[in-house]
Amino acid sequence: MELMHHYQVSFKELLTEKFDFVIAASGYQKRCTFLAENMRYGDAEKLVITYDEQGKTEWRIENEKMFESFGFKSVKTLATDTDEIEKLMQRVCGGRICQNLNVLIDYSCMPRKWYAAIVNFLLKNDFQAQRINIYFSYTPKKVNILSQKSKLKAFEPIFGFQDKLSTDKPVTLVMGLNNNHTIIKELVEQLKPTDLAAFIPDFSYDSGYYDTIKSNNAGVLNSIATEKIFKYPAQRPDQIGSMLTSLCLDLRLNSNVVLVPNGPKTLSLASILLSVKYPDIKIFDLHAKDEKSDYDIGLPGGDPVVSKSVFAIDDEDDDY
């Protein structure tokens, strides 16, 4: 299929839409059940992806029980696995003959690999539905201002087919920043990019968050030209996409562009959509070494941020 449109819609519109399927992810954070608690899904088939792991925390167990009470059926997989995600999407998209298939995906607590796999699966397959409308919903959390110091274990491309960088171009690293400034510093030291650009999130409900991120990452930011440090509205995915596209389409002409979208998932989704459209723009994921730390319980910070992606068969007339 082809991605025809991607744009932001209001949470109110989400409340009035009729869905065929709803897909959520159950983690340990409180916000992962927020959408399920605040919507009525009618006849939609409800599925929740749960982490297949030993020694689950009490928060994970509690959230899984809550999804079960709302009528969600569980699909278990590993955080690093995408095979079950593709099987799930085949189940959702493969059996419906219709004009429009409406699917709501709450990616608030999904690893990047999962929602990247969803987008990639839709693009590399055709289905009997003429259009598949994917509503991506992200519930922001109350921001965590604690500085984090996880160490870098590995970094790798989210899409396996993007594993090689051109040897005849320098590397430009475009990174999203959060409070885990140590891991970003290690990445810069290991990758040794020729040029750097940084995106710092700004939440409308917490005016001090941007300044905190900027202060915690001062060591890296001091080496970046001022015009390549971007303050982005974390609750406006349409603006995030425009900012990323404007920057990266210029950079890709003369350099290997590597996106590392740490921070709010709205930046990650925008990066994924840009990368699948322009595969020479690579998107990498960071993996931290396991360290004991206090969990951020992730209380909801506001209404969900929703964007709509319209996928259609390649030969469909773009008449809407």
Side-chain angles (χ1 to χ4, degrees), residues 16 18 22 134 164 170 225 236 263 266 273 280 294 309 316:
T16 60
K18 181 179 180 181
V22 178
I134 304 290
K164 293 183 180 179
R236 293 301 305 269
T266 44
L273 294 173
D280 59 329
D294 294 331
S309 294
E316 179 179 302

PDB file of all heavy atoms in Angstrom, residues 16 18 22 134 164 170 225 236 263 266 273 280 294 309 316:
ATOM      1  N   THR A  16     -15.678  10.308  18.356  1.00  0.00           N
ATOM      2  CA  THR A  16     -16.877  10.122  17.545  1.00  0.00           C
ATOM      3  C   THR A  16     -16.672   9.141  16.395  1.00  0.00           C
ATOM      4  O   THR A  16     -17.631   8.807  15.689  1.00  0.00           O
ATOM      5  CB  THR A  16     -17.342  11.472  16.957  1.00  0.00           C
ATOM      6  OG1 THR A  16     -16.310  12.019  16.126  1.00  0.00           O
ATOM      7  CG2 THR A  16     -17.671  12.452  18.076  1.00  0.00           C
ATOM      8  N   LYS A  18     -15.942   5.577  14.406  1.00  0.00           N
ATOM      9  CA  LYS A  18     -16.261   4.172  14.581  1.00  0.00           C
ATOM     10  C   LYS A  18     -15.073   3.347  14.095  1.00  0.00           C
ATOM     11  O   LYS A  18     -14.622   3.498  12.961  1.00  0.00           O
ATOM     12  CB  LYS A  18     -17.511   3.793  13.783  1.00  0.00           C
ATOM     13  CG  LYS A  18     -17.912   2.334  13.934  1.00  0.00           C
ATOM     14  CD  LYS A  18     -19.171   2.022  13.144  1.00  0.00           C
ATOM     15  CE  LYS A  18     -19.548   0.546  13.303  1.00  0.00           C
ATOM     16  NZ  LYS A  18     -20.780   0.207  12.520  1.00  0.00           N
ATOM     17  N   VAL A  22      -9.057  -1.982  17.554  1.00  0.00           N
ATOM     18  CA  VAL A  22      -8.298  -1.132  18.462  1.00  0.00           C
ATOM     19  C   VAL A  22      -7.112  -1.947  18.961  1.00  0.00           C
ATOM     20  O   VAL A  22      -7.275  -3.086  19.404  1.00  0.00           O
ATOM     21  CB  VAL A  22      -9.148  -0.666  19.659  1.00  0.00           C
ATOM     22  CG1 VAL A  22      -8.302   0.173  20.612  1.00  0.00           C
ATOM     23  CG2 VAL A  22     -10.359   0.116  19.184  1.00  0.00           C
ATOM     24  N   ILE A 134      -5.330   4.534   9.717  1.00  0.00           N
ATOM     25  CA  ILE A 134      -4.690   4.249  11.003  1.00  0.00           C
ATOM     26  C   ILE A 134      -4.685   5.526  11.839  1.00  0.00           C
ATOM     27  O   ILE A 134      -4.097   6.536  11.451  1.00  0.00           O
ATOM     28  CB  ILE A 134      -3.248   3.751  10.830  1.00  0.00           C
ATOM     29  CG1 ILE A 134      -3.197   2.518   9.923  1.00  0.00           C
ATOM     30  CG2 ILE A 134      -2.637   3.447  12.191  1.00  0.00           C
ATOM     31  CD1 ILE A 134      -3.783   1.272  10.518  1.00  0.00           C
ATOM     32  N   LYS A 164      23.212  -0.104   6.113  1.00  0.00           N
ATOM     33  CA  LYS A 164      24.481   0.369   5.578  1.00  0.00           C
ATOM     34  C   LYS A 164      24.421   1.859   5.264  1.00  0.00           C
ATOM     35  O   LYS A 164      23.487   2.347   4.643  1.00  0.00           O
ATOM     36  CB  LYS A 164      24.847  -0.420   4.320  1.00  0.00           C
ATOM     37  CG  LYS A 164      25.157  -1.892   4.584  1.00  0.00           C
ATOM     38  CD  LYS A 164      25.572  -2.608   3.311  1.00  0.00           C
ATOM     39  CE  LYS A 164      25.883  -4.074   3.592  1.00  0.00           C
ATOM     40  NZ  LYS A 164      26.265  -4.804   2.349  1.00  0.00           N
ATOM     41  N   PRO A 170      29.704  12.065   4.347  1.00  0.00           N
ATOM     42  CA  PRO A 170      29.870  12.182   5.802  1.00  0.00           C
ATOM     43  C   PRO A 170      28.546  11.907   6.516  1.00  0.00           C
ATOM     44  O   PRO A 170      27.485  11.885   5.894  1.00  0.00           O
ATOM     45  CB  PRO A 170      30.306  13.632   5.991  1.00  0.00           C
ATOM     46  CG  PRO A 170      29.723  14.351   4.815  1.00  0.00           C
ATOM     47  CD  PRO A 170      29.779  13.373   3.670  1.00  0.00           C
ATOM     48  N   ALA A 225      25.844  23.930  16.271  1.00  0.00           N
ATOM     49  CA  ALA A 225      25.527  25.296  15.842  1.00  0.00           C
ATOM     50  C   ALA A 225      24.112  25.673  16.274  1.00  0.00           C
ATOM     51  O   ALA A 225      23.195  24.849  16.221  1.00  0.00           O
ATOM     52  CB  ALA A 225      25.655  25.401  14.323  1.00  0.00           C
ATOM     53  N   ARG A 236       2.297  18.539  18.743  1.00  0.00           N
ATOM     54  CA  ARG A 236       1.878  18.926  17.402  1.00  0.00           C
ATOM     55  C   ARG A 236       2.630  18.091  16.353  1.00  0.00           C
ATOM     56  O   ARG A 236       3.614  18.540  15.771  1.00  0.00           O
ATOM     57  CB  ARG A 236       2.119  20.414  17.163  1.00  0.00           C
ATOM     58  CG  ARG A 236       1.243  21.339  18.000  1.00  0.00           C
ATOM     59  CD  ARG A 236      -0.247  21.123  17.754  1.00  0.00           C
ATOM     60  NE  ARG A 236      -0.590  21.233  16.346  1.00  0.00           N
ATOM     61  CZ  ARG A 236      -0.967  22.368  15.764  1.00  0.00           C
ATOM     62  NH1 ARG A 236      -1.040  23.484  16.469  1.00  0.00           N
ATOM     63  NH2 ARG A 236      -1.278  22.384  14.486  1.00  0.00           N
ATOM     64  N   GLY A 263      13.160  10.783  23.194  1.00  0.00           N
ATOM     65  CA  GLY A 263      12.180  11.749  23.664  1.00  0.00           C
ATOM     66  C   GLY A 263      10.764  11.312  23.353  1.00  0.00           C
ATOM     67  O   GLY A 263      10.505  10.128  23.099  1.00  0.00           O
ATOM     68  N   THR A 266       5.921  11.204  19.679  1.00  0.00           N
ATOM     69  CA  THR A 266       5.462  11.952  18.515  1.00  0.00           C
ATOM     70  C   THR A 266       6.630  12.252  17.580  1.00  0.00           C
ATOM     71  O   THR A 266       6.464  12.251  16.346  1.00  0.00           O
ATOM     72  CB  THR A 266       4.787  13.262  18.942  1.00  0.00           C
ATOM     73  OG1 THR A 266       5.567  13.900  19.976  1.00  0.00           O
ATOM     74  CG2 THR A 266       3.386  13.000  19.482  1.00  0.00           C
ATOM     75  N   LEU A 273       7.930   7.852   9.746  1.00  0.00           N
ATOM     76  CA  LEU A 273       7.206   8.157   8.513  1.00  0.00           C
ATOM     77  C   LEU A 273       8.096   8.847   7.485  1.00  0.00           C
ATOM     78  O   LEU A 273       7.974   8.605   6.273  1.00  0.00           O
ATOM     79  CB  LEU A 273       5.987   9.027   8.823  1.00  0.00           C
ATOM     80  CG  LEU A 273       4.895   8.346   9.670  1.00  0.00           C
ATOM     81  CD1 LEU A 273       3.823   9.352  10.051  1.00  0.00           C
ATOM     82  CD2 LEU A 273       4.285   7.168   8.939  1.00  0.00           C
ATOM     83  N   ASP A 280      16.901   6.553   2.285  1.00  0.00           N
ATOM     84  CA  ASP A 280      18.307   6.916   2.500  1.00  0.00           C
ATOM     85  C   ASP A 280      18.473   7.741   3.779  1.00  0.00           C
ATOM     86  O   ASP A 280      19.596   7.972   4.235  1.00  0.00           O
ATOM     87  CB  ASP A 280      18.870   7.671   1.295  1.00  0.00           C
ATOM     88  CG  ASP A 280      18.102   8.949   0.982  1.00  0.00           C
ATOM     89  OD1 ASP A 280      16.881   8.989   1.239  1.00  0.00           O
ATOM     90  OD2 ASP A 280      18.720   9.906   0.480  1.00  0.00           O
ATOM     91  N   ASP A 294      14.835   3.825  39.589  1.00  0.00           N
ATOM     92  CA  ASP A 294      13.447   3.997  39.982  1.00  0.00           C
ATOM     93  C   ASP A 294      12.587   4.179  38.726  1.00  0.00           C
ATOM     94  O   ASP A 294      12.937   4.945  37.830  1.00  0.00           O
ATOM     95  CB  ASP A 294      13.299   5.223  40.898  1.00  0.00           C
ATOM     96  CG  ASP A 294      14.010   5.020  42.235  1.00  0.00           C
ATOM     97  OD1 ASP A 294      14.100   3.861  42.662  1.00  0.00           O
ATOM     98  OD2 ASP A 294      14.463   6.020  42.811  1.00  0.00           O
ATOM     99  N   SER A 309      -3.185   8.410   9.602  1.00  0.00           N
ATOM    100  CA  SER A 309      -2.439   8.024   8.411  1.00  0.00           C
ATOM    101  C   SER A 309      -3.377   7.243   7.500  1.00  0.00           C
ATOM    102  O   SER A 309      -3.993   6.267   7.934  1.00  0.00           O
ATOM    103  CB  SER A 309      -1.228   7.157   8.776  1.00  0.00           C
ATOM    104  OG  SER A 309      -0.284   7.890   9.517  1.00  0.00           O
ATOM    105  N   GLU A 316      -4.894   3.574  -6.577  1.00  0.00           N
ATOM    106  CA  GLU A 316      -6.123   4.315  -6.285  1.00  0.00           C
ATOM    107  C   GLU A 316      -5.994   5.779  -6.648  1.00  0.00           C
ATOM    108  O   GLU A 316      -4.954   6.403  -6.424  1.00  0.00           O
ATOM    109  CB  GLU A 316      -6.475   4.185  -4.797  1.00  0.00           C
ATOM    110  CG  GLU A 316      -7.723   4.958  -4.423  1.00  0.00           C
ATOM    111  CD  GLU A 316      -8.070   4.789  -2.958  1.00  0.00           C
ATOM    112  OE1 GLU A 316      -8.264   3.658  -2.522  1.00  0.00           O
ATOM    113  OE2 GLU A 316      -8.121   5.809  -2.258  1.00  0.00           O
TER     114      GLU A 316
END
